[in-house]
Amino acid sequence: RMSRHAKKLKDHDINPCVAETDATTKCMSDNNYNKDMCTDYFLKYKNCRTFWHEIMMQRKRNGVKPEMPTAEERKKILESMG
């Protein structure tokens, strides 16, 4: 059974970076946990987290709920950016 924390990490409405998390984990597994082989994946994950954290803080400042956009909202935000 998955822990509550693990479930949150896999919930697309809570974690906007599920794909990046999974890709990083797969890369680490495929490369015998050699971090140097997965630098690009770590960078993509970090960029994802930074981007959505900024969006979340902006929404918080503006009093928008929920602070983290749902998966559907995030898709629209990304599409509007090209």
Side-chain angles (χ1 to χ4, degrees):
R1 233 181 86 197
M2 267 200 281
S3 71
R4 223 183 265 157
H5 179 71
K7 278 185 185 149
K8 275 187 176 180
L9 289 178
K10 291 284 181 197
D11 185 331
H12 289 272
D13 281 331
I14 295 171
N15 180 3
C17 303
V18 172
E20 290 79 2
T21 303
D22 290 348
T24 304
T25 304
K26 184 180 180 333
C27 179
M28 289 292 283
S29 177
D30 290 351
N31 290 286
N32 207 22
Y33 296 90
N34 178 350
K35 280 187 175 178
D36 296 338
M37 299 294 289
C38 302
T39 310
D40 289 349
Y41 292 95
F42 283 110
L43 191 61
K44 284 178 188 165
Y45 173 77
K46 185 177 177 222
N47 290 340
C48 179
R49 296 297 305 174
T50 301
F51 176 81
W52 289 112
H53 181 74
E54 288 300 316
I55 299 273
M56 204 169 86
M57 296 313 289
Q58 188 64 52
R59 286 168 67 104
K60 192 174 188 171
R61 281 191 291 273
N62 295 340
V64 178
K65 296 278 184 195
E67 288 159 7
M68 176 56 73
T70 63
E72 194 55 42
E73 277 183 279
R74 289 195 308 269
K75 191 175 163 196
K76 289 176 183 160
I77 290 168
L78 291 173
E79 284 169 358
S80 74
M81 296 174 73

